[in-house]
Amino acid sequence: MMISLKNVVKKYAQRTVLNGISLDLDAKTQYVIKGPSGSGKSTLLYLIAGMEYLDGGEIRYQDLLINELNDQDLASYRNLQVGLIFQFHFLLSTLSNLENILLPARIAGVSLRKIKSNVLDLAKILGVEELLKKYPYQLSGGELQRINILRAISLTPKVILGDEPTGSLDQENSKRVITLLRDVATSIGSTLLVVTHDDLVASGFQNHLYMEDGKIKSV
């Protein structure tokens, strides 16, 4: 298993958001999570990404017990092993798109020359090589999300997590972006887990998880 969750519990104040979730996610496999608002879908993603702390249970990434990592090791895990794509791009307007994409590599302290070469190859797959010298404010919504995806996968993470990655796009761009994301996840051999309310997006996935009231109701 690439990722394993056992009896995961997450609370905010007196509200239990995740209520004893157990789930195994295979390597190089793609999943979609659906469910009503407030069912805990995004919280589940953030816990796997190491952006939230558990209130019970455990999460393993391969042989790594995520909930027992110290802050430094957790930050390294988030940066090197996980690519997280949000609904909104959060790109820095003062940096070119290429500079935005290379930020995770700078933070990780890895060789920019090697990563830049990899980024240029991935940019061709995503069809954004002509956009790298531009700035975020010069791009359309669909183009921004493709740059966002490229930043998330720049270090070829083994886990790619998408929290409503097409939520701000029209139907045509949603289909294009999710197809590109799935193709790239396949090409770099990553496990892909996407949260969506969009039936069109979900229809492209073979593995469906349905969440309700903080639990996985069906797989």
Side-chain angles (χ1 to χ4, degrees):
M1 299 296 173
M2 176 63 71
I3 301 168
S4 180
L5 295 83
K6 292 184 178 179
N7 301 316
V8 169
V9 175
K10 179 62 180 178
K11 299 179 180 180
Y12 293 112
Q14 301 302 312
R15 178 172 173 251
T16 300
V17 181
L18 297 181
N19 192 5
I21 284 183
S22 294
L23 177 67
D24 291 324
L25 302 174
D26 293 327
K28 301 180 182 181
T29 307
Q30 301 182 359
Y31 303 85
V32 65
I33 305 180
K34 294 190 66 181
S37 296
S39 58
K41 303 184 301 298
S42 295
T43 300
L44 179 62
L45 248 63
Y46 299 152
L47 287 171
I48 293 173
M51 297 177 67
E52 296 274 4
Y53 293 99
L54 300 180
D55 291 304
E58 67 176 42
I59 298 179
R60 287 187 179 274
Y61 165 74
Q62 297 179 336
D63 294 327
L64 202 64
L65 192 56
I66 303 304
N67 46 292
E68 289 191 354
L69 296 179
N70 60 38
D71 288 345
Q72 182 177 350
D73 289 341
L74 198 57
S76 178
Y77 162 74
R78 282 195 300 262
N79 200 41
L80 295 175
Q81 305 299 334
V82 178
L84 187 57
I85 304 162
F86 298 96
Q87 177 177 346
F88 301 103
H89 55 79
F90 299 113
L91 298 171
L92 300 178
S93 60
T94 56
L95 299 181
S96 71
N97 295 317
L98 179 58
E99 290 169 330
N100 269 288
I101 290 164
L102 293 176
L103 272 180
R106 290 185 183 278
I107 293 170
V110 300
S111 169
L112 290 183
R113 178 179 297 180
K114 180 179 178 180
I115 296 302
K116 187 174 180 180
S117 176
N118 182 50
V119 163
L120 293 177
D121 289 339
L122 291 170
K124 293 178 182 177
I125 297 174
L126 287 167
V128 295
E129 63 267 34
E130 300 300 323
L131 305 179
L132 297 181
K133 293 182 180 180
K134 294 185 177 181
Y135 287 78
Y137 62 83
Q138 296 175 299
L139 306 187
S140 68
E143 290 171 339
L144 285 168
Q145 196 60 311
R146 280 184 280 165
I147 293 295
N148 189 20
I149 290 171
L150 185 49
R151 178 179 59 179
I153 64 172
S154 61
L155 298 179
T156 56
K158 292 301 181 183
V159 180
I160 301 174
L161 306 173
D163 186 16
E164 296 283 358
T166 63
S168 62
L169 303 178
D170 59 39
Q171 193 172 68
E172 182 179 349
N173 274 308
S174 292
K175 185 176 181 180
R176 181 181 297 117
V177 164
I178 206 68
T179 298
L180 287 169
L181 178 56
R182 295 191 64 214
D183 288 347
V184 168
T186 298
S187 70
I188 65 177
S190 299
T191 296
L192 175 63
L193 183 61
V194 172
V195 165
T196 186
H197 286 97
D198 190 329
D199 289 335
L200 179 64
V201 169
S203 66
F205 289 79
Q206 182 176 359
N207 301 295
H208 289 231
L209 310 174
Y210 184 80
M211 289 188 66
E212 188 175 343
D213 298 328
K215 295 182 178 181
I216 302 287
K217 291 293 186 178
S218 62
V219 179

